[in-house]
Amino acid sequence: MQIATWNVNSLAVRLPQVLDWLAANPGVEVLGLQETKLSDDKFPVQAFADAGWQVQFFGQKTYNGVALISRQPMRDAVRNIPGMDCDMARVIAATMDVPMVDASTVQPLRVVCAYFPNGQAPGSDKFAYKMRWLQALRAWLRQELLQTPHLLLMGDFNITFDDADVWDPEGLRETIHCTTEEREQLQALVQLGLADSLRLFDPPPKSYTWWDYRAMAFRRNRGMRIDHILVSDALRPLVQGCHIDKVPRKNERPSDHTPVVLTLGAAAVAKEAMA
């Protein structure tokens, strides 16, 4: 199965693109969306249902908004970080049962889709909020991992891991998405027992997921990798691949982000058991 994440930067504008992409990628069974920018009463439930999809969503008008689109039933949905006083629609999590060894052996998989705060600029109030939010996310995920070891965290993190994720690392050093503080928070998430799935497969240089709309940034590949899928230690043996799909960024009126796609396969578990 494949699981993907995509900041669509307005689902109202890009619903046809999302449905077309899902139809063109039949291996995708779960898609996490960020920046849907729709209040819950406006979410296109029927459009997804007509195409055979189930949905969990959490939105607000004009800003933020997250959703999980799945072929399989989802349960135990959580919206936002429990215990954190935040009125922004940034997190949706749900559990589904998936094969872990073979088609007859299923276990719960916890999928967390998040739209991390941007942070605006180091030293700003929004940056301080981003730090608090990241700390609250980490504390919650620590508990989630204890309850469901097979877990993945995906979404628009608004943080780069290191200089390899930035088209101009010197020019953008210590600016938003590239600060030491943000990267330390991202590494703290990794230290919970999570792995950057793309880096498990030695991606090509200059592999980015976001490009500014201005200055022909996409055409010149002046981007950043700020969209990630992190997998738990328990889930890692199932990971068979991860790639960035740049095709949707070439659409007319595209999102400024493009999907990241994770491939999971029970065969990986069976292969390890035989080794």
Side-chain angles (χ1 to χ4, degrees):
M1 66 181 296
Q2 292 183 318
I3 299 175
T5 181
W6 189 4
N7 179 324
V8 292
N9 192 17
S10 177
L11 186 58
V13 173
R14 296 184 178 89
L15 176 61
Q17 294 185 34
V18 171
L19 292 171
D20 287 348
W21 186 82
L22 287 169
N25 292 270
V28 174
E29 294 191 28
V30 182
L31 173 62
L33 301 177
Q34 304 88 46
E35 279 202 277
T36 56
K37 297 182 179 180
L38 292 172
S39 56
D40 286 348
D41 61 311
K42 301 294 185 182
F43 195 88
V45 176
Q46 193 59 51
F48 283 109
D50 290 345
W53 296 93
Q54 302 189 35
V55 295
Q56 292 283 350
F57 51 91
F58 180 39
Q60 62 188 98
K61 185 178 180 180
T62 308
Y63 299 103
N64 307 317
V66 284
L68 286 171
I69 316 300
S70 175
R71 290 287 188 194
Q72 304 183 43
M74 294 178 280
R75 65 176 189 277
D76 302 328
V78 169
R79 291 162 176 80
N80 264 353
I81 303 171
M84 183 180 185
D85 184 15
C86 178
D87 60 357
M88 299 184 186
R90 293 195 175 276
V91 176
I92 184 80
T95 298
M96 56 205 69
D97 294 317
V98 301
M100 295 294 179
V101 178
D102 55 49
S104 62
T105 306
V106 297
Q107 290 187 21
L109 171 65
R110 190 68 167 164
V111 178
V112 182
C113 172
Y115 175 48
F116 288 42
N118 179 284
Q120 191 175 45
S124 67
D125 290 345
K126 290 184 178 180
F127 190 85
Y129 160 69
K130 184 173 189 174
M131 295 297 105
R132 292 194 305 272
W133 189 92
L134 286 162
Q135 292 162 6
L137 176 70
R138 186 168 72 252
W140 173 57
L141 287 178
R142 184 178 291 112
Q143 299 303 312
E144 289 288 293
L145 282 161
L146 292 174
Q147 295 178 33
T148 314
H150 293 93
L151 178 146
L152 66 83
L153 169 66
M154 64 180 174
D156 176 1
F157 284 46
N158 273 313
I159 308 173
T160 58
F161 270 95
D162 50 38
D163 287 354
D165 288 340
V166 188
W167 77 272
D168 182 8
E170 289 303 323
L172 295 171
R173 191 167 304 283
E174 297 303 329
T175 62
I176 199 65
H177 310 316
C178 307
T179 66
T180 299
E181 294 92 334
E182 291 169 288
R183 288 175 175 176
E184 287 176 348
Q185 289 287 342
L186 185 50
Q187 287 301 323
L189 283 173
V190 169
Q191 290 164 13
L192 291 176
L194 299 172
D196 175 8
S197 56
L198 188 74
R199 292 275 179 91
L200 295 176
F201 298 95
D202 192 22
K206 299 182 180 180
S207 293
Y208 307 133
T209 64
W210 171 87
W211 302 262
D212 200 306
Y213 287 124
R214 299 167 296 183
M216 296 186 293
F218 178 65
R219 185 176 300 178
R220 301 161 80 179
N221 201 26
R222 294 184 171 185
M224 294 187 189
R225 188 173 74 102
I226 57 176
D227 303 86
H228 308 295
I229 302 178
L230 306 187
V231 295
S232 66
D233 286 342
L235 194 60
R236 184 168 170 173
L238 281 76
V239 177
Q240 294 188 334
C242 185
H243 69 277
I244 297 167
D245 182 2
K246 295 172 67 173
V247 173
R249 189 59 175 81
K250 302 173 184 178
N251 290 341
E252 185 177 350
R253 299 186 70 195
S255 169
D256 47 354
H257 298 250
T258 208
V260 181
V261 184
L262 173 72
T263 301
L264 299 176
V269 174
K271 188 180 298 183
E272 281 212 351
M274 293 170 61

